[in-house]
Amino acid sequence: MNIQIFGSSKCFDTKKAERWFKERRIKYQYIDLPQKGFSPGEYRSIRQKLSFDQLVNTKCKAYQDLYMAYITPDAAEEKLFDNPKLFLTPIVRNGKLVTVGYCPEVWETWE
């Protein structure tokens, strides 16, 4: 398994996801999303599996500040990539398998 956790240090679900993998002694790579963001390749890979609506945190302050609800889908996609604070976290990736949020029932099926 090659687990990557994209998350925020302030997100409780990210901390729970890290703890879940630590308790099972599963190695993972943690990427601080607000600080580093996604590479274009990682973003494309994740977007193939998840819709725009599944990735965006509509309740965050940045969502309102950037008027995300009022712009075109293409512009929203570009703003999402440029502003990592808009993502729901954690985004957990195992190769081509991806989850958003705390999903231990899905992670247990990964081998």
Side-chain angles (χ1 to χ4, degrees), residues 46-104:
I46 289 169
R47 278 292 284 128
Q48 287 176 352
K49 298 292 180 186
L50 300 171
S51 71
F52 180 83
D53 294 333
Q54 290 175 302
L55 290 173
V56 178
N57 182 0
T58 57
K59 296 176 183 147
C60 73
K61 188 175 185 321
Y63 186 83
Q64 282 101 27
D65 291 347
L66 294 169
Y67 303 104
M68 293 291 287
Y70 308 105
I71 59 177
T72 65
D74 290 337
E77 189 89 30
E78 190 173 316
K79 283 199 187 253
L80 177 64
F81 184 72
D82 293 338
N83 298 285
K85 291 180 180 180
L86 291 169
F87 285 100
L88 280 172
T89 54
I91 297 171
V92 182
R93 185 173 149 203
N94 179 18
K96 295 187 180 204
L97 304 171
V98 182
T99 62
V100 175
Y102 183 70
C103 305

Short mmCIF file of all heavy atoms in Angstrom, two decimals, residues 46-104:
data_model
loop_
_atom_site.label_atom_id
_atom_site.label_comp_id
_atom_site.label_asym_id
_atom_site.label_seq_id
_atom_site.Cartn_x
_atom_site.Cartn_y
_atom_site.Cartn_z
N ILE A 46 -6.92 12.62 -8.77
CA ILE A 46 -8.01 12.67 -7.79
C ILE A 46 -9.31 13.09 -8.45
O ILE A 46 -10.37 12.55 -8.16
CB ILE A 46 -7.62 13.59 -6.61
CG1 ILE A 46 -6.54 12.88 -5.79
CG2 ILE A 46 -8.82 13.93 -5.75
CD1 ILE A 46 -5.88 13.73 -4.76
N ARG A 47 -9.25 14.04 -9.37
CA ARG A 47 -10.45 14.52 -10.07
C ARG A 47 -11.07 13.45 -10.96
O ARG A 47 -12.26 13.48 -11.24
CB ARG A 47 -10.15 15.77 -10.90
CG ARG A 47 -10.15 17.03 -10.12
CD ARG A 47 -11.53 17.43 -9.59
NE ARG A 47 -12.33 17.98 -10.68
CZ ARG A 47 -13.53 17.58 -11.01
NH1 ARG A 47 -14.13 16.63 -10.33
NH2 ARG A 47 -14.18 18.12 -12.00
N GLN A 48 -10.27 12.47 -11.40
CA GLN A 48 -10.83 11.38 -12.19
C GLN A 48 -11.75 10.52 -11.35
O GLN A 48 -12.70 9.93 -11.85
CB GLN A 48 -9.71 10.52 -12.78
CG GLN A 48 -8.97 11.17 -13.90
CD GLN A 48 -7.81 10.30 -14.38
OE1 GLN A 48 -7.47 9.29 -13.78
NE2 GLN A 48 -7.19 10.72 -15.47
N LYS A 49 -11.48 10.44 -10.06
CA LYS A 49 -12.26 9.58 -9.17
C LYS A 49 -13.38 10.31 -8.42
O LYS A 49 -14.37 9.70 -8.04
CB LYS A 49 -11.33 8.93 -8.13
CG LYS A 49 -10.28 8.05 -8.73
CD LYS A 49 -10.91 6.82 -9.33
CE LYS A 49 -9.87 5.93 -9.95
NZ LYS A 49 -10.45 4.81 -10.65
N LEU A 50 -13.19 11.61 -8.17
CA LEU A 50 -14.15 12.37 -7.36
C LEU A 50 -14.67 13.58 -8.12
O LEU A 50 -13.93 14.21 -8.87
CB LEU A 50 -13.49 12.84 -6.06
CG LEU A 50 -12.96 11.75 -5.15
CD1 LEU A 50 -12.16 12.36 -4.02
CD2 LEU A 50 -14.09 10.92 -4.60
N SER A 51 -15.92 13.93 -7.89
CA SER A 51 -16.49 15.10 -8.54
C SER A 51 -16.05 16.37 -7.82
O SER A 51 -15.56 16.34 -6.70
CB SER A 51 -18.02 15.02 -8.52
OG SER A 51 -18.50 15.22 -7.21
N PHE A 52 -16.25 17.48 -8.48
CA PHE A 52 -15.91 18.79 -7.92
C PHE A 52 -16.64 19.01 -6.60
O PHE A 52 -16.06 19.46 -5.62
CB PHE A 52 -16.27 19.89 -8.93
CG PHE A 52 -15.97 21.27 -8.47
CD1 PHE A 52 -14.70 21.79 -8.57
CD2 PHE A 52 -16.97 22.06 -7.93
CE1 PHE A 52 -14.41 23.08 -8.14
CE2 PHE A 52 -16.70 23.35 -7.49
CZ PHE A 52 -15.42 23.85 -7.61
N ASP A 53 -17.93 18.66 -6.57
CA ASP A 53 -18.75 18.87 -5.36
C ASP A 53 -18.27 18.03 -4.18
O ASP A 53 -18.43 18.43 -3.03
CB ASP A 53 -20.22 18.57 -5.65
CG ASP A 53 -20.82 19.56 -6.63
OD1 ASP A 53 -20.33 20.71 -6.69
OD2 ASP A 53 -21.76 19.19 -7.35
N GLN A 54 -17.70 16.86 -4.45
CA GLN A 54 -17.18 16.02 -3.37
C GLN A 54 -15.91 16.60 -2.76
O GLN A 54 -15.61 16.32 -1.61
CB GLN A 54 -16.88 14.61 -3.89
CG GLN A 54 -18.11 13.82 -4.23
CD GLN A 54 -17.75 12.48 -4.85
OE1 GLN A 54 -17.07 12.43 -5.87
NE2 GLN A 54 -18.20 11.41 -4.22
N LEU A 55 -15.18 17.39 -3.52
CA LEU A 55 -13.90 17.92 -3.05
C LEU A 55 -14.00 19.26 -2.34
O LEU A 55 -13.14 19.60 -1.54
CB LEU A 55 -12.93 18.08 -4.23
CG LEU A 55 -12.40 16.81 -4.86
CD1 LEU A 55 -11.60 17.14 -6.11
CD2 LEU A 55 -11.52 16.08 -3.87
N VAL A 56 -15.03 20.04 -2.62
CA VAL A 56 -15.11 21.42 -2.14
C VAL A 56 -15.81 21.52 -0.79
O VAL A 56 -16.88 20.94 -0.60
CB VAL A 56 -15.84 22.31 -3.16
CG1 VAL A 56 -15.97 23.73 -2.65
CG2 VAL A 56 -15.11 22.31 -4.48
N ASN A 57 -15.21 22.29 0.09
CA ASN A 57 -15.81 22.58 1.39
C ASN A 57 -16.63 23.86 1.24
O ASN A 57 -16.08 24.96 1.27
CB ASN A 57 -14.73 22.74 2.45
CG ASN A 57 -15.29 22.99 3.82
OD1 ASN A 57 -16.51 23.04 4.01
ND2 ASN A 57 -14.42 23.15 4.79
N THR A 58 -17.93 23.72 1.07
CA THR A 58 -18.78 24.89 0.85
C THR A 58 -19.02 25.70 2.12
O THR A 58 -19.56 26.80 2.06
CB THR A 58 -20.15 24.46 0.27
OG1 THR A 58 -20.75 23.54 1.18
CG2 THR A 58 -19.98 23.83 -1.10
N LYS A 59 -18.61 25.18 3.27
CA LYS A 59 -18.85 25.86 4.54
C LYS A 59 -17.65 26.69 5.01
O LYS A 59 -17.76 27.37 6.01
CB LYS A 59 -19.21 24.83 5.61
CG LYS A 59 -20.50 24.12 5.31
CD LYS A 59 -20.80 23.06 6.32
CE LYS A 59 -22.07 22.34 5.90
NZ LYS A 59 -22.07 20.96 6.24
N CYS A 60 -16.54 26.63 4.28
CA CYS A 60 -15.36 27.38 4.74
C CYS A 60 -15.46 28.85 4.33
O CYS A 60 -16.17 29.22 3.41
CB CYS A 60 -14.07 26.76 4.20
SG CYS A 60 -13.78 27.01 2.46
N LYS A 61 -14.74 29.69 5.06
CA LYS A 61 -14.76 31.13 4.82
C LYS A 61 -14.24 31.48 3.43
O LYS A 61 -14.76 32.36 2.76
CB LYS A 61 -13.93 31.83 5.89
CG LYS A 61 -14.04 33.33 5.87
CD LYS A 61 -13.28 33.92 7.04
CE LYS A 61 -13.41 35.41 7.19
NZ LYS A 61 -13.40 36.21 6.02
N ALA A 62 -13.22 30.76 2.97
CA ALA A 62 -12.64 31.03 1.65
C ALA A 62 -13.66 30.82 0.54
O ALA A 62 -13.61 31.51 -0.49
CB ALA A 62 -11.41 30.15 1.43
N TYR A 63 -14.59 29.90 0.73
CA TYR A 63 -15.62 29.63 -0.28
C TYR A 63 -16.47 30.88 -0.52
O TYR A 63 -16.75 31.25 -1.66
CB TYR A 63 -16.49 28.45 0.16
CG TYR A 63 -17.49 27.99 -0.87
CD1 TYR A 63 -17.10 27.12 -1.88
CD2 TYR A 63 -18.81 28.42 -0.85
CE1 TYR A 63 -18.01 26.67 -2.83
CE2 TYR A 63 -19.72 27.98 -1.79
CZ TYR A 63 -19.31 27.11 -2.78
OH TYR A 63 -20.20 26.68 -3.72
N GLN A 64 -16.87 31.55 0.57
CA GLN A 64 -17.66 32.77 0.44
C GLN A 64 -16.79 33.93 -0.05
O GLN A 64 -17.22 34.73 -0.88
CB GLN A 64 -18.31 33.16 1.77
CG GLN A 64 -19.54 32.36 2.09
CD GLN A 64 -19.26 31.27 3.10
OE1 GLN A 64 -18.34 31.39 3.90
NE2 GLN A 64 -20.03 30.20 3.07
N ASP A 65 -15.57 34.05 0.47
CA ASP A 65 -14.68 35.15 0.09
C ASP A 65 -14.35 35.15 -1.40
O ASP A 65 -14.14 36.21 -1.99
CB ASP A 65 -13.38 35.10 0.90
CG ASP A 65 -13.60 35.42 2.38
OD1 ASP A 65 -14.69 35.91 2.73
OD2 ASP A 65 -12.68 35.16 3.17
N LEU A 66 -14.27 33.96 -2.01
CA LEU A 66 -13.93 33.85 -3.43
C LEU A 66 -15.16 33.76 -4.33
O LEU A 66 -15.04 33.57 -5.53
CB LEU A 66 -13.03 32.62 -3.65
CG LEU A 66 -11.66 32.69 -2.99
CD1 LEU A 66 -10.98 31.33 -3.03
CD2 LEU A 66 -10.80 33.74 -3.67
N TYR A 67 -16.36 33.89 -3.73
CA TYR A 67 -17.62 33.86 -4.48
C TYR A 67 -17.74 32.60 -5.34
O TYR A 67 -18.18 32.65 -6.49
CB TYR A 67 -17.78 35.11 -5.35
CG TYR A 67 -17.71 36.39 -4.55
CD1 TYR A 67 -16.57 37.17 -4.58
CD2 TYR A 67 -18.77 36.79 -3.76
CE1 TYR A 67 -16.48 38.34 -3.82
CE2 TYR A 67 -18.70 37.94 -3.01
CZ TYR A 67 -17.56 38.71 -3.05
OH TYR A 67 -17.48 39.85 -2.30
N MET A 68 -17.36 31.48 -4.78
CA MET A 68 -17.34 30.21 -5.52
C MET A 68 -18.73 29.81 -6.02
O MET A 68 -18.85 29.17 -7.05
CB MET A 68 -16.76 29.11 -4.65
CG MET A 68 -15.29 29.27 -4.33
SD MET A 68 -14.24 29.08 -5.75
CE MET A 68 -14.35 27.32 -6.01
N ALA A 69 -19.77 30.16 -5.30
CA ALA A 69 -21.12 29.76 -5.69
C ALA A 69 -21.62 30.52 -6.92
O ALA A 69 -22.60 30.12 -7.54
CB ALA A 69 -22.08 29.98 -4.53
N TYR A 70 -20.94 31.60 -7.28
CA TYR A 70 -21.44 32.48 -8.34
C TYR A 70 -20.58 32.49 -9.60
O TYR A 70 -20.85 33.27 -10.50
CB TYR A 70 -21.54 33.91 -7.81
CG TYR A 70 -22.33 33.98 -6.52
CD1 TYR A 70 -21.69 34.17 -5.31
CD2 TYR A 70 -23.71 33.81 -6.52
CE1 TYR A 70 -22.40 34.21 -4.12
CE2 TYR A 70 -24.44 33.84 -5.34
CZ TYR A 70 -23.77 34.05 -4.15
OH TYR A 70 -24.47 34.08 -2.98
N ILE A 71 -19.56 31.65 -9.68
CA ILE A 71 -18.68 31.68 -10.86
C ILE A 71 -18.89 30.44 -11.71
O ILE A 71 -19.50 29.46 -11.27
CB ILE A 71 -17.19 31.83 -10.44
CG1 ILE A 71 -16.75 30.70 -9.53
CG2 ILE A 71 -16.95 33.17 -9.78
CD1 ILE A 71 -15.28 30.75 -9.14
N THR A 72 -18.38 30.47 -12.93
CA THR A 72 -18.55 29.35 -13.85
C THR A 72 -17.80 28.12 -13.36
O THR A 72 -16.82 28.26 -12.60
CB THR A 72 -18.03 29.72 -15.26
OG1 THR A 72 -16.63 29.93 -15.18
CG2 THR A 72 -18.74 30.94 -15.81
N PRO A 73 -18.20 26.93 -13.78
CA PRO A 73 -17.51 25.71 -13.34
C PRO A 73 -16.01 25.70 -13.68
O PRO A 73 -15.20 25.25 -12.87
CB PRO A 73 -18.25 24.60 -14.08
CG PRO A 73 -19.61 25.15 -14.30
CD PRO A 73 -19.42 26.62 -14.52
N ASP A 74 -15.63 26.20 -14.85
CA ASP A 74 -14.21 26.22 -15.21
C ASP A 74 -13.42 27.15 -14.30
O ASP A 74 -12.32 26.83 -13.86
CB ASP A 74 -14.02 26.64 -16.67
CG ASP A 74 -14.49 25.58 -17.64
OD1 ASP A 74 -14.55 24.39 -17.24
OD2 ASP A 74 -14.79 25.92 -18.80
N ALA A 75 -13.98 28.32 -14.01
CA ALA A 75 -13.31 29.27 -13.12
C ALA A 75 -13.25 28.70 -11.70
O ALA A 75 -12.25 28.88 -10.99
CB ALA A 75 -14.04 30.61 -13.14
N ALA A 76 -14.30 28.02 -11.28
CA ALA A 76 -14.33 27.41 -9.94
C ALA A 76 -13.25 26.34 -9.83
O ALA A 76 -12.57 26.23 -8.80
CB ALA A 76 -15.71 26.82 -9.66
N GLU A 77 -13.09 25.55 -10.88
CA GLU A 77 -12.05 24.50 -10.90
C GLU A 77 -10.66 25.11 -10.74
O GLU A 77 -9.83 24.62 -9.99
CB GLU A 77 -12.16 23.74 -12.22
CG GLU A 77 -11.31 22.51 -12.29
CD GLU A 77 -12.03 21.29 -11.76
OE1 GLU A 77 -13.25 21.21 -11.86
OE2 GLU A 77 -11.34 20.41 -11.24
N GLU A 78 -10.42 26.20 -11.44
CA GLU A 78 -9.12 26.87 -11.37
C GLU A 78 -8.89 27.46 -9.98
O GLU A 78 -7.81 27.34 -9.42
CB GLU A 78 -9.06 27.97 -12.43
CG GLU A 78 -7.68 28.56 -12.61
CD GLU A 78 -7.62 29.53 -13.77
OE1 GLU A 78 -8.17 29.21 -14.84
OE2 GLU A 78 -7.01 30.59 -13.58
N LYS A 79 -9.91 28.08 -9.41
CA LYS A 79 -9.78 28.65 -8.06
C LYS A 79 -9.55 27.56 -7.02
O LYS A 79 -8.81 27.75 -6.07
CB LYS A 79 -11.01 29.47 -7.70
CG LYS A 79 -11.03 30.81 -8.36
CD LYS A 79 -11.97 31.74 -7.64
CE LYS A 79 -12.12 33.01 -8.41
NZ LYS A 79 -11.45 34.12 -7.81
N LEU A 80 -10.20 26.42 -7.21
CA LEU A 80 -10.01 25.30 -6.29
C LEU A 80 -8.56 24.85 -6.29
O LEU A 80 -7.96 24.64 -5.24
CB LEU A 80 -10.93 24.14 -6.66
CG LEU A 80 -10.81 22.87 -5.82
CD1 LEU A 80 -11.20 23.14 -4.38
CD2 LEU A 80 -11.68 21.78 -6.39
N PHE A 81 -7.99 24.69 -7.47
CA PHE A 81 -6.60 24.26 -7.58
C PHE A 81 -5.65 25.29 -6.98
O PHE A 81 -4.66 24.95 -6.34
CB PHE A 81 -6.23 23.98 -9.04
CG PHE A 81 -4.85 23.45 -9.22
CD1 PHE A 81 -4.54 22.16 -8.84
CD2 PHE A 81 -3.84 24.24 -9.74
CE1 PHE A 81 -3.26 21.66 -8.98
CE2 PHE A 81 -2.56 23.75 -9.89
CZ PHE A 81 -2.27 22.45 -9.51
N ASP A 82 -5.96 26.59 -7.15
CA ASP A 82 -5.09 27.66 -6.66
C ASP A 82 -5.26 27.95 -5.17
O ASP A 82 -4.41 28.60 -4.56
CB ASP A 82 -5.34 28.95 -7.44
CG ASP A 82 -4.90 28.85 -8.89
OD1 ASP A 82 -4.05 27.98 -9.19
OD2 ASP A 82 -5.40 29.63 -9.72
N ASN A 83 -6.36 27.50 -4.56
CA ASN A 83 -6.65 27.77 -3.15
C ASN A 83 -6.91 26.48 -2.40
O ASN A 83 -8.06 26.07 -2.23
CB ASN A 83 -7.87 28.70 -3.03
CG ASN A 83 -7.62 30.03 -3.68
OD1 ASN A 83 -6.90 30.85 -3.14
ND2 ASN A 83 -8.19 30.23 -4.85
N PRO A 84 -5.87 25.81 -1.93
CA PRO A 84 -6.04 24.50 -1.28
C PRO A 84 -6.91 24.52 -0.02
O PRO A 84 -7.38 23.48 0.41
CB PRO A 84 -4.62 24.08 -0.93
CG PRO A 84 -3.72 24.98 -1.67
CD PRO A 84 -4.49 26.20 -2.04
N LYS A 85 -7.17 25.69 0.55
CA LYS A 85 -8.03 25.76 1.74
C LYS A 85 -9.47 25.41 1.43
O LYS A 85 -10.26 25.15 2.32
CB LYS A 85 -7.96 27.16 2.36
CG LYS A 85 -6.63 27.47 2.98
CD LYS A 85 -6.61 28.84 3.58
CE LYS A 85 -5.25 29.11 4.18
NZ LYS A 85 -5.15 30.42 4.79
N LEU A 86 -9.83 25.38 0.15
CA LEU A 86 -11.20 25.07 -0.27
C LEU A 86 -11.51 23.57 -0.24
O LEU A 86 -12.66 23.19 -0.30
CB LEU A 86 -11.45 25.60 -1.68
CG LEU A 86 -11.51 27.11 -1.84
CD1 LEU A 86 -11.50 27.49 -3.31
CD2 LEU A 86 -12.76 27.66 -1.17
N PHE A 87 -10.49 22.74 -0.17
CA PHE A 87 -10.71 21.28 -0.21
C PHE A 87 -11.25 20.76 1.10
O PHE A 87 -10.87 21.21 2.18
CB PHE A 87 -9.39 20.56 -0.50
CG PHE A 87 -8.93 20.64 -1.92
CD1 PHE A 87 -7.95 21.54 -2.28
CD2 PHE A 87 -9.47 19.82 -2.89
CE1 PHE A 87 -7.51 21.64 -3.58
CE2 PHE A 87 -9.05 19.91 -4.20
CZ PHE A 87 -8.05 20.81 -4.55
N LEU A 88 -12.15 19.79 1.01
CA LEU A 88 -12.56 19.02 2.18
C LEU A 88 -11.38 18.12 2.55
O LEU A 88 -10.71 17.59 1.66
CB LEU A 88 -13.77 18.15 1.86
CG LEU A 88 -15.12 18.82 1.87
CD1 LEU A 88 -16.18 17.87 1.34
CD2 LEU A 88 -15.49 19.25 3.26
N THR A 89 -11.13 17.94 3.81
CA THR A 89 -10.01 17.10 4.23
C THR A 89 -10.49 16.08 5.24
O THR A 89 -11.49 16.30 5.92
CB THR A 89 -8.88 17.96 4.84
OG1 THR A 89 -9.41 18.75 5.89
CG2 THR A 89 -8.22 18.83 3.80
N PRO A 90 -9.80 14.97 5.38
CA PRO A 90 -8.63 14.55 4.62
C PRO A 90 -9.02 13.91 3.29
O PRO A 90 -10.09 13.32 3.17
CB PRO A 90 -7.98 13.51 5.53
CG PRO A 90 -9.14 12.89 6.24
CD PRO A 90 -10.13 14.01 6.44
N ILE A 91 -8.13 14.02 2.34
CA ILE A 91 -8.25 13.28 1.10
C ILE A 91 -7.19 12.18 1.20
O ILE A 91 -6.00 12.47 1.30
CB ILE A 91 -7.99 14.18 -0.13
CG1 ILE A 91 -9.06 15.27 -0.18
CG2 ILE A 91 -7.99 13.34 -1.40
CD1 ILE A 91 -8.80 16.34 -1.22
N VAL A 92 -7.64 10.94 1.26
CA VAL A 92 -6.74 9.80 1.45
C VAL A 92 -6.67 9.04 0.14
O VAL A 92 -7.70 8.67 -0.43
CB VAL A 92 -7.22 8.89 2.60
CG1 VAL A 92 -6.24 7.74 2.81
CG2 VAL A 92 -7.37 9.69 3.89
N ARG A 93 -5.45 8.79 -0.29
CA ARG A 93 -5.24 8.16 -1.59
C ARG A 93 -4.36 6.93 -1.44
O ARG A 93 -3.36 6.95 -0.74
CB ARG A 93 -4.57 9.19 -2.50
CG ARG A 93 -4.39 8.76 -3.90
CD ARG A 93 -3.87 9.94 -4.70
NE ARG A 93 -3.05 9.41 -5.77
CZ ARG A 93 -2.12 10.07 -6.40
NH1 ARG A 93 -1.86 11.31 -6.07
NH2 ARG A 93 -1.44 9.52 -7.36
N ASN A 94 -4.78 5.86 -2.09
CA ASN A 94 -3.99 4.62 -2.15
C ASN A 94 -3.93 4.24 -3.62
O ASN A 94 -4.81 3.57 -4.13
CB ASN A 94 -4.66 3.52 -1.32
CG ASN A 94 -3.89 2.22 -1.39
OD1 ASN A 94 -2.73 2.19 -1.75
ND2 ASN A 94 -4.55 1.15 -1.04
N GLY A 95 -2.88 4.70 -4.30
CA GLY A 95 -2.79 4.47 -5.74
C GLY A 95 -3.90 5.20 -6.45
O GLY A 95 -3.98 6.41 -6.42
N LYS A 96 -4.82 4.43 -7.07
CA LYS A 96 -5.93 5.05 -7.80
C LYS A 96 -7.20 5.12 -6.96
O LYS A 96 -8.21 5.65 -7.41
CB LYS A 96 -6.19 4.29 -9.09
CG LYS A 96 -5.03 4.40 -10.05
CD LYS A 96 -5.36 3.81 -11.38
CE LYS A 96 -4.14 3.97 -12.28
NZ LYS A 96 -4.47 3.95 -13.68
N LEU A 97 -7.17 4.58 -5.75
CA LEU A 97 -8.33 4.63 -4.86
C LEU A 97 -8.26 5.91 -4.02
O LEU A 97 -7.21 6.25 -3.50
CB LEU A 97 -8.34 3.42 -3.95
CG LEU A 97 -8.33 2.05 -4.65
CD1 LEU A 97 -8.12 0.94 -3.64
CD2 LEU A 97 -9.62 1.85 -5.41
N VAL A 98 -9.39 6.61 -3.89
CA VAL A 98 -9.41 7.89 -3.19
C VAL A 98 -10.66 7.99 -2.33
O VAL A 98 -11.75 7.57 -2.74
CB VAL A 98 -9.42 9.06 -4.20
CG1 VAL A 98 -9.40 10.40 -3.48
CG2 VAL A 98 -8.26 8.98 -5.17
N THR A 99 -10.49 8.56 -1.13
CA THR A 99 -11.64 8.88 -0.28
C THR A 99 -11.51 10.31 0.21
O THR A 99 -10.42 10.86 0.28
CB THR A 99 -11.72 7.96 0.96
OG1 THR A 99 -10.57 8.14 1.77
CG2 THR A 99 -11.87 6.51 0.57
N VAL A 100 -12.64 10.91 0.56
CA VAL A 100 -12.67 12.24 1.16
C VAL A 100 -13.35 12.10 2.51
O VAL A 100 -14.41 11.50 2.62
CB VAL A 100 -13.45 13.25 0.29
CG1 VAL A 100 -13.56 14.58 1.00
CG2 VAL A 100 -12.77 13.43 -1.04
N GLY A 101 -12.71 12.64 3.54
CA GLY A 101 -13.25 12.55 4.88
C GLY A 101 -12.72 11.34 5.62
O GLY A 101 -11.84 10.63 5.14
N TYR A 102 -13.26 11.12 6.79
CA TYR A 102 -12.85 10.00 7.63
C TYR A 102 -13.66 8.78 7.24
O TYR A 102 -14.86 8.70 7.51
CB TYR A 102 -13.07 10.37 9.11
CG TYR A 102 -12.61 9.32 10.07
CD1 TYR A 102 -11.26 9.05 10.25
CD2 TYR A 102 -13.53 8.57 10.80
CE1 TYR A 102 -10.84 8.08 11.14
CE2 TYR A 102 -13.11 7.60 11.69
CZ TYR A 102 -11.76 7.36 11.85
OH TYR A 102 -11.35 6.39 12.73
N CYS A 103 -13.02 7.80 6.58
CA CYS A 103 -13.72 6.62 6.02
C CYS A 103 -13.01 5.32 6.39
O CYS A 103 -12.53 4.60 5.50
CB CYS A 103 -13.80 6.73 4.51
SG CYS A 103 -14.54 8.22 3.89
N PRO A 104 -12.93 4.95 7.66
CA PRO A 104 -12.21 3.72 8.04
C PRO A 104 -12.82 2.46 7.43
O PRO A 104 -12.10 1.51 7.15
CB PRO A 104 -12.27 3.71 9.56
CG PRO A 104 -13.40 4.59 9.92
CD PRO A 104 -13.50 5.62 8.83
#
